[in-house]
């Protein structure tokens, strides 16, 4: 690193100490370097951002890496050796555990061998004693098998537990076969031999690890003796079967002695001298010699059966010999366990000892490396911290290291740099102070510094000059902004989070009527309508949280006491504690929206077919709500009088009574003025507007305030609303007249039907009856009933009778007499009896007669439905239900025909719908194809009257 050019006095001491190679410039940089960076450390032009690999490591890590490289090999070798030794120890542990499981399995082989002998004995010599011995042997085998299964659960190298479980099922099957007597004694021995082979295979698998030579020899000896004992046991069972049966020689009688001899030879090769001696003694004892004599006898071509031992003697001698061999096998198992345990302990001790020694050496080397690294990295860290503090602007940090090495020279250089930085900071502080005091002509002493520092101060001076120019432009922009602020037609203001206005524009003053001083002197919530203050406080809380506000509306009170609606948009600046807001007067737009909403409600009411009285009452309510006054709708009669059709007071009862006369007087004056001028008029406490329908004066809409004079312009608002409402009133009136006309047409048609039915009954029917009587009298005057004249008179009588019946049906179809006399219930029952389709009636009608127009409509709807069900629907049954509920006659007619009835296709249902709707009812048809037809009829008892 090159010394800063700002320090002019040379530092004492060598100017360029040599580096590790003796070349100068390692501490202060080479003469050919740029910006104080040694030439060797400068980035190459080809890749200016490339950093060498070792340059990315800190010095402490480099030193640690240098020291630990040779140690890494030792550590790797130690780890590899430890892993190998631990693997060997783990193998020995697994082998040791496997031998313990194998010993438990060996116990099963002994128990199964005894059970085999007991089963063979029970088969050869059946009796209570042999069966009891066999049962005891089976229970002993089960106990040993259960213990071995518990022990095998800890062994994970092979599924010994599963093998033992399968073995238990195999034994159970074998016992069942033995109980049934399906196996001979040799077969029993053979089956148990298969079980023993399976057990010996498991023992072999458990002891096949052989991690050391000693353990392997002990395992081989143990396995060989086990197989020799099994061969002796099979020989015992086979010879017992021979001795218990007729004279003869079993096939393969010599295979088991040969197998036993081979296994005992393998045992002698791998076992200890003591066990070989014990085996020699067992073979030459009396049981052993007796077994060899029998073997020799069986090996001859023609054995003498007289020399054979008895059955009991053979079992005693062979059993004693096998027990002696099992005793040797127990000692061989103990030697195997001792050898495996000793090898395991030695391997674990050796692994721990070697690993501890290696870790101790590694710890010592690491400690020395860390100590050496600290002696270098500590001063480097102090210098680095000083440089970092200097880069952060902390000039109070002092580097205390004062060594005579290269690090000491770097520390001296940083101390010089701190002095220079303090001088530079002083110049910057002086510049900031000048800016705070608006002394924009101040400039730093650039000549007192050299190099980059001088360039930096020169840039600061240029920045100060630019800032002075920008300050002038800002003042001009503020003047332009103030002009826009003062000329804006919208309300602009700046408010503090404390609830006081800081600045308002003239539009604010013009709209509210207060002066600027009055608006700034009071909390702005004082100018808000009382009912809107809670919502305004919630909006202010949201602004205080830093959230913007858009299209928030509330009411303000002008200085004259009137109210207006303002719509606000505001943005907070929490760090300054200010709120910038703009508002516009939306009073007229809200008023127009309210009027349009009122008009929509009236139009909706007319569209629903409400009666005129309800429509006009709603008009009065909407006018009263819009103007905040009493309101009334009056119709101009032909004699010049007015009829009140709808009114709303909206006043307390006492105030309404006390101001009734005054309101009537003001209303009359307003009506007279409207009638005279034909336009909306304002007369003191009342306003009126004409309702013109079809270019004629239909009526008036009046509004009156009993307390105060209505504001100017109220009549124009009422006129605008009335002009738009006139169409709705005309539609409602026309609809009401049309409904009354339809009702009169239906009533007239029904009256004509009754008159025609009465004329037919009183005229044509009576004359037909008289002709029938005269014809019957003429028939009695004929002397010969069989004559041609008598037959002709009878034929004419029959024709008159048919004509009478046809006329009676026509009269009933025009207007049934039973409907006029008995009412709807008897008429429907009579109609059901005459129907071609079976009808199920469920009528719950009141005892009193219903209005005649309802009975006639219900009768003809039912008659038409029954006719359609028979002719078109091909129904099997028709259900008719009727009842009166909530002053409405509800009639339902349902059939199970083909369905698919559609009124819009010109069917007779259109006439039924017209008849029902003419008296204010509703008829609904549901007729999905293939699912029958259902008609629901609702007829109000108080429907429109034909007299309207």
């Amino acid at each position: 690193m090159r010394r800063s050019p700002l320090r002019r006095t040379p530092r004492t001491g060598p100017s360029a100490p040599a580096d590790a190679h003796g070349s100068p410039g390692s501490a202060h940089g080479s003469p050919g370097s740029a910006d104080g960076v040694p030439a060797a450390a400068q980035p190459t032009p080809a890749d200016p951002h490339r950093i060498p690999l070792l340059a990315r490591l800190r010095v402490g890590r480099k030193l640690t890496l240098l020291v630990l490289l040779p140690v890494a090999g030792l550590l790797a070798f130690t780890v590899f050796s430890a892993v190998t030794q631990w693997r060997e120890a783990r193998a020995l542990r697994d082998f040791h555990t496997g031998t313990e499981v194998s010993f438990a399995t060996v116990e099963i082989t002994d128990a199964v061998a005894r059970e085999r002998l007991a089963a063979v004995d029970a088969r050869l010599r059946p009796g209570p004693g042999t069966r009891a011995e066999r049962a005891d042997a089976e229970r002993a085998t089960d106990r040993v098998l259960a213990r071995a299964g518990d022990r095998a659960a800890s062994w994970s190298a092979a599924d010994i537990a599963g093998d033992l479980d399968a073995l238990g099922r195999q034994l159970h099957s074998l016992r069942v076969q033995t109980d049934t007597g399906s196996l001979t004694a040799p077969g029993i021995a053979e089956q148990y031999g298969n079980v023993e082979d399976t057990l010996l295979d498991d023992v072999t698998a458990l002891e096949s690890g052989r991690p050391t030579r000693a353990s392997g020899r002990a395992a081989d000896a143990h396995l060989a003796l086990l197989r020799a004992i099994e061969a002796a046991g099979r020989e015992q069972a086979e010879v017992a079967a021979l001795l218990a049966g007729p004279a003869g020689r079993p096939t393969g009688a010599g295979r088991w002695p040969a197998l036993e001899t081979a296994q005992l030879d393998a045992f002698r090769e791998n076992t200890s001298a003591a066990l070989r001696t014990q085996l020699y003694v067992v073979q030459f004892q009396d049981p052993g010699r007796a077994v060899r004599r029998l073997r020799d006898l069986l090996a001859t071509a023609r054995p003498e059966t007289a020399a054979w031992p008895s059955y009991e003697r053979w079992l005693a001698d062979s059993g004693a010999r096998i027990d002696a061999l099992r005793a040797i096998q127990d000692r061989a198992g103990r030697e195997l366990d001792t050898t495996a345990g000793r090898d395991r302990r030695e391997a674990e001790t050796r692994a721990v000892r070697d690993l501890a020694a290696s870790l101790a050496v590694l710890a010592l080397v690491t400690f020395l490396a860390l100590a050496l690294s600290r002696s270098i990295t500590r001063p480097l860290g102090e210098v680095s911290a000083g440089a970092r503090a200097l880069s952060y602007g902390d000039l109070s940090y002092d580097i205390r290291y004062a060594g005579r090495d290269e690090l000491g020279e770097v520390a001296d250089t940083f101390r010089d740099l701190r002095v220079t930085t303090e001088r530079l900071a002083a110049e910057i502080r002086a510049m900031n102070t000048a800016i705070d005091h608006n002394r924009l002509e101040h400039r730093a002493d650039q000549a007192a510094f050299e190099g980059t520092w001088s360039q930096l101060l020169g840039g600061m001076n240029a920045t100060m000059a630019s800032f002075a120019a920008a300050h002038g432009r800002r003042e001009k922009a503020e003047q332009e902004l103030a002009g826009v602020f003062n000329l804006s037609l919208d309300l602009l203001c700046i408010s503090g989070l404390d609830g006081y206005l800081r600045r308002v524009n003239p539009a604010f003053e013009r709209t509210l009527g207060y002066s600027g001083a009055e608006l700034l002197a009071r909390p702005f919530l004082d100018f808000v309508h009382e009912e809107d203050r809670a919502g305004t406080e919630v909006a202010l809380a949201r602004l205080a949280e830093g959230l913007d506000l858009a299209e928030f509306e509330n009411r303000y009170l002008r200085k004259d006491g009137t109210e207006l609606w303002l719509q606000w948009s505001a943005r907070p600046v929490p760090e300054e504690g200010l709120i910038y807001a703009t508002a516009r007067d939306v009073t007229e737009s809200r008023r127009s929206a309210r009027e349009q909403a009122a008009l929509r409600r009236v139009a909706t009411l007319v569209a629903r077919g409400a009666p005129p009285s309800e429509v006009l009452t709603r008009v009065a309510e909407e006018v009263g709500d819009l103007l905040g006054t009493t309101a009334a709708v009056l119709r101009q009669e032909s004699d010049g009088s007015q009829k009140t059709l709808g009114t709303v007071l909206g006043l307390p009862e006492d105030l309404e009574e006390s101001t009734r006369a005054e309101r009537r007087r003001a209303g009359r004056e307003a009506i007279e003025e409207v009638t005279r001028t034909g336009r909306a008029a304002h007369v003191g406490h009342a306003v009126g507007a004409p309702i013109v329908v079809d270019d004629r004066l239909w009526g008036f809409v009046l509004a009156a305030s009993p307390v105060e004079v209505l504001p100017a312009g109220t009549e124009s608002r009422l006129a605008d609303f009335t002009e738009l409402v006139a169409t709705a009133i005309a539609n409602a009136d026309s609809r009401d007249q049309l409904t009354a006309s339809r009702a009169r047409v239906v009533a007239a048609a029904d009256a004509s039907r009754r008159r025609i039915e009465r004329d037919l009954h009183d005229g044509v029917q009576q004359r037909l009856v008289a002709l029938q009587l005269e014809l019957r009298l003429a028939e009695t005057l004929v002397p010969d009933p069989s004559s041609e004249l008598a037959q002709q008179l009878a034929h004419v009588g029959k024709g008159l009778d048919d004509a009478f019946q046809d006329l009676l049906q026509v009269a009933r179809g025009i207007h049934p007499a039973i409907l006029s006399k008995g009412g709807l219930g008897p008429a429907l029952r009579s109609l059901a009896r005459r129907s071609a389709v079976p009808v199920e009636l469920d009528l719950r009608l009141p005892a009193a007669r219903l209005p005649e127009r309802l009975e006639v409509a219900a009768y003809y709807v039912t008659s038409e439905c029954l006719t359609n069900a028979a002719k078109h629907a091909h129904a099997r049954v028709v259900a008719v239900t009727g009842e009166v509920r909530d002053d409405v006659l509800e009639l339902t007619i349902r059939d199970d025909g083909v369905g698919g009835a559609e009124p819009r296709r010109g069917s007779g249902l259109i006439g039924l719908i017209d008849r029902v709707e003419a008296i204010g009812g509703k008829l609904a048809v549901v007729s999905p194809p293939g699912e029958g037809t259902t008609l629901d009829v609702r007829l109000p008892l108080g429907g429109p009257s034909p007299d309207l």
Side-chain angles (χ1 to χ4, degrees):
M1 180 182 294
R2 188 175 61 185
R3 185 183 301 123
S4 171
L6 300 178
R7 184 173 177 85
R8 298 182 179 182
T9 57
R11 187 174 60 84
T12 59
S15 60
D19 58 8
H21 301 284
S23 62
S26 62
H28 300 283
S30 63
S33 62
D35 297 331
V37 181
Q42 291 182 355
T44 61
D47 189 1
H49 301 288
R50 182 181 178 184
I51 300 176
L53 177 61
L54 294 179
R56 301 176 186 177
L57 300 177
R58 302 179 69 86
V59 174
R61 294 181 180 177
K62 292 178 182 179
L63 294 174
T64 303
L65 182 61
L66 180 64
V67 175
L68 294 182
L69 279 177
V71 178
L74 175 62
L75 179 60
F77 177 77
T78 302
V79 171
F80 178 76
S81 177
V83 170
T84 303
Q85 292 176 354
W86 279 109
R87 286 180 178 175
E88 181 182 354
R90 185 174 62 183
L92 286 168
R93 285 196 300 270
D94 294 342
F95 178 73
H96 194 194
T97 304
T99 57
E100 294 176 353
V101 178
S102 72
F103 295 156
T105 309
V106 168
E107 293 181 3
I108 302 176
T109 63
D110 295 343
V112 171
R114 292 185 174 89
E115 181 180 340
R116 174 178 58 194
L117 183 59
V120 171
D121 190 21
R123 184 70 177 87
L124 296 174
R125 300 291 177 88
T130 57
R131 284 195 297 271
E133 291 177 0
R134 177 193 166 198
D136 293 340
E138 289 177 353
R139 286 192 292 271
T141 301
D142 292 338
R143 288 193 297 271
V144 173
L145 185 61
R147 289 197 301 269
D150 295 339
R151 189 67 184 88
S154 63
W155 176 253
S156 60
D159 190 14
I160 303 299
D163 293 344
L164 294 180
D165 183 63
L167 182 66
R169 293 193 295 272
Q170 185 177 358
L171 280 174
H172 177 72
S173 176
L174 179 56
R175 292 168 182 172
V176 171
Q177 294 178 1
T178 304
D179 289 338
T180 58
S182 60
L183 294 177
T184 62
I188 294 173
E190 183 66 24
Q191 294 294 330
Y192 275 101
N194 294 335
V195 175
E196 290 283 2
D197 289 341
T198 301
L199 290 171
L200 290 177
D201 290 342
D202 290 339
V203 173
T204 303
L206 291 169
E207 297 181 4
S208 61
R210 291 169 171 75
T212 63
R213 186 173 182 276
S215 298
R217 287 175 57 85
D220 290 341
H222 184 249
L223 289 172
L225 188 55
L226 284 176
R227 295 191 181 278
I229 294 173
E230 171 58 17
R234 294 197 179 187
E235 180 190 25
Q236 181 187 31
E238 185 173 336
V239 173
L242 174 65
L243 296 177
R249 180 178 179 181
T251 303
R255 56 179 174 168
W256 302 120
L259 178 60
E260 177 188 336
T261 302
Q263 294 298 331
L264 290 178
D265 291 341
F267 173 74
R268 294 188 188 95
E269 292 177 1
N270 295 288
T271 191
S272 62
L275 292 182
R276 285 197 295 270
T277 302
Q278 188 175 356
L279 177 61
Y280 181 79
V281 171
V282 168
Q283 288 180 331
F284 285 94
Q285 287 179 348
D286 291 339
R289 289 196 301 272
V291 170
R292 279 202 308 277
R293 285 195 300 270
L294 181 58
R295 288 176 179 175
D296 294 339
L297 184 61
L298 292 173
T300 60
R302 294 181 179 180
E304 298 180 2
T305 57
W308 288 4
S310 64
Y311 174 81
E312 290 79 6
R313 186 60 185 175
W314 163 250
L315 291 181
D317 291 340
S318 61
R321 181 175 177 273
I322 291 174
D323 291 340
L325 291 176
R326 285 176 178 156
I328 299 174
Q329 177 257 320
D330 291 339
R331 288 192 57 186
R334 287 194 295 272
E335 286 187 0
L336 173 59
D337 182 65
T338 302
T339 303
R342 182 180 65 251
D343 292 345
R344 170 186 174 181
R345 288 189 297 273
E346 289 177 356
E348 291 176 349
T349 302
R350 183 169 60 255
V352 171
R353 182 181 63 250
D354 294 347
L355 181 61
S358 299
L359 292 177
V361 173
L362 182 62
L364 178 62
V365 173
T366 303
F367 173 77
L368 293 176
L370 292 177
L372 179 61
S373 175
R374 182 174 178 79
S375 66
I376 298 176
T377 57
R378 183 174 182 180
L380 278 177
E382 188 174 348
V383 172
S384 176
R388 188 178 297 107
L390 185 62
S391 66
Y392 291 159
D394 183 11
L395 302 180
S396 62
Y397 188 86
D398 187 19
I399 301 176
R400 294 185 297 274
Y401 185 72
R404 296 181 178 275
D405 54 0
E406 290 83 352
L407 294 176
E409 294 181 359
V410 174
D412 292 340
T413 303
F414 270 105
R415 281 190 283 268
D416 294 342
L417 180 60
R418 191 184 70 174
V419 173
T420 303
T421 306
E422 288 177 348
R423 292 173 53 210
L424 182 63
E427 290 291 340
I428 295 175
R429 285 193 294 271
M431 184 74 73
N432 292 334
T433 302
I435 294 174
D436 293 338
H437 292 81
N438 204 21
R439 292 186 287 105
L440 303 182
E441 70 281 358
H442 176 79
R443 299 294 183 271
D445 187 8
Q446 182 178 356
F449 296 85
E450 297 179 359
T452 304
W453 307 126
S454 177
Q455 297 175 7
L456 176 61
L457 291 179
M460 291 180 60
N461 289 334
T463 302
M464 178 65 85
S466 300
F467 183 74
H471 183 68
R473 292 193 296 271
R474 188 190 68 178
E475 290 181 346
K476 182 178 179 180
E478 288 179 351
Q479 294 175 359
E480 295 175 351
L481 181 61
V484 174
F485 186 82
N486 293 328
L487 294 176
S488 174
L489 297 179
D490 289 335
L491 285 71
L492 305 178
C493 67
I494 302 175
S495 173
L497 294 176
D498 55 358
Y500 283 83
L501 296 170
R502 303 294 174 83
R503 184 179 178 184
V504 296
N505 68 337
F508 219 108
E509 301 175 4
R510 292 193 300 269
T511 302
L512 295 182
Y514 293 97
S515 65
E518 291 174 328
L519 292 171
L520 301 181
R522 295 162 54 187
F524 56 78
L525 281 178
D526 292 351
F527 305 103
V528 179
H529 196 283
E530 292 183 358
E531 297 179 1
D532 293 345
R533 289 180 181 176
T536 304
E537 290 176 352
V538 173
L540 289 175
R542 180 176 178 178
L543 289 170
E545 295 175 357
L547 302 176
D548 292 350
L549 190 67
E551 299 183 356
F552 171 74
E553 295 183 2
N554 60 358
R555 285 173 291 179
Y556 270 67
L557 297 176
R558 295 188 181 94
K559 191 172 184 179
D560 58 3
T562 59
E563 65 181 44
L564 75 162
W565 283 89
L566 296 180
Q567 186 182 79
W568 293 89
S569 295
R571 173 168 294 176
V573 185
E575 59 272 14
E576 298 180 5
L578 298 178
I579 300 173
Y580 295 89
T582 179
R584 63 178 55 186
D585 188 353
V586 295
T587 304
E588 290 300 326
S589 61
R590 287 181 61 89
R591 181 179 299 164
S592 299
R594 290 184 61 196
E595 291 177 358
Q596 293 299 324
L599 287 171
R600 284 195 299 271
R601 289 191 290 271
V602 172
T604 301
L605 194 64
V606 173
R608 287 206 308 263
S613 58
E614 183 179 352
V615 174
L616 298 176
T617 301
R618 175 60 65 85
V619 170
E621 292 174 353
E622 296 293 350
V623 171
D625 182 62
L626 285 174
L627 302 180
T629 63
T630 62
V633 178
L634 294 85
R635 186 174 65 190
Q636 181 74 12
E637 300 294 339
S638 59
D639 58 356
S641 61
Q642 293 84 31
K643 180 179 180 181
T644 302
L645 302 179
T647 182
V648 61
L649 298 176
L651 298 174
E653 185 177 354
D654 53 351
L655 182 61
E656 192 275 330
E657 292 179 355
S658 62
T659 60
R660 184 180 302 166
E662 182 179 355
R663 287 187 288 105
R664 288 181 176 177
R665 179 186 57 77
R668 285 194 298 270
E669 293 178 358
I671 291 174
E672 293 174 358
E673 183 66 20
V674 170
T675 304
R676 185 179 64 83
T677 62
R679 296 191 301 271
H682 184 297
V683 181
H685 291 262
V687 294
I691 301 176
V692 179
V693 178
D694 296 333
D695 296 329
R696 66 181 180 85
L697 182 62
W698 186 90
F700 308 90
V701 177
L702 296 179
S705 174
V707 180
E708 57 186 7
V709 177
L710 293 176
T714 307
E715 69 278 9
S716 61
R717 293 179 57 195
L718 182 61
D720 294 340
F721 183 81
T722 304
E723 182 179 354
L724 296 174
V725 166
T727 302
I729 294 176
N731 290 339
D733 185 59
S734 299
R735 181 187 295 274
D736 187 62
Q737 293 180 9
L738 177 61
T739 302
S741 175
R742 292 174 67 183
R744 287 194 295 271
V745 170
V746 172
D750 291 341
S752 298
R753 286 173 177 271
R754 287 194 300 272
R755 185 177 63 256
I756 294 172
E757 188 272 336
R758 185 172 57 252
D759 291 343
L760 289 175
H761 182 272
D762 296 340
V764 178
Q765 287 184 12
Q766 296 300 325
R767 294 190 63 185
L768 287 176
V769 170
L771 288 175
Q772 283 181 322
L773 294 176
E774 292 177 1
L775 187 59
R776 295 290 183 266
L777 179 60
E779 288 180 357
T780 59
L781 298 176
V782 177
D784 185 7
S786 61
S787 65
E788 183 177 357
L789 177 60
Q791 295 178 0
Q792 187 66 27
L793 290 176
H795 178 69
V796 173
K798 180 68 169 57
L800 285 175
D801 187 62
D802 292 341
F804 179 78
Q805 294 298 327
D806 292 341
L807 183 61
L808 183 61
Q809 293 295 331
V810 171
R812 288 175 178 175
I814 293 175
H815 188 81
I818 191 172
L819 181 63
S820 302
K821 297 178 181 179
L824 180 61
L828 291 181
R829 283 189 284 271
S830 174
L831 187 62
R833 287 193 298 270
R834 299 196 310 270
S835 173
V837 180
V839 179
E840 297 178 355
L841 285 177
D842 182 11
L843 302 178
R844 293 185 290 275
L845 302 177
R849 291 288 298 272
L850 299 175
E852 183 180 4
R853 61 182 182 278
L854 265 70
E855 291 184 342
V856 173
Y859 178 85
Y860 282 115
V861 168
T862 306
S863 176
E864 181 69 18
C865 290
L866 293 179
T867 301
N868 290 338
K871 291 183 178 181
H872 307 295
H874 308 293
R876 294 189 300 270
V877 66
V878 180
V880 180
T881 60
E883 63 177 326
V884 175
R885 183 186 303 171
D886 298 332
D887 292 334
V888 174
L889 172 60
E890 295 181 357
L891 188 65
T892 301
I893 306 168
R894 182 182 299 107
D895 66 56
D896 59 352
V898 297
E902 180 56 54
R904 291 177 295 181
R905 287 186 282 181
S907 64
L909 294 175
I910 295 178
L912 298 181
I913 294 175
D914 292 341
R915 170 176 284 277
V916 170
E917 291 183 352
I919 60 175
K922 296 293 182 181
L923 186 146
V925 181
V926 179
S927 183
E931 299 182 14
T933 302
T934 300
L935 271 74
D936 290 321
V937 183
R938 293 175 55 85
L939 299 172
L941 301 185
S945 173
D947 298 332
L948 292 176

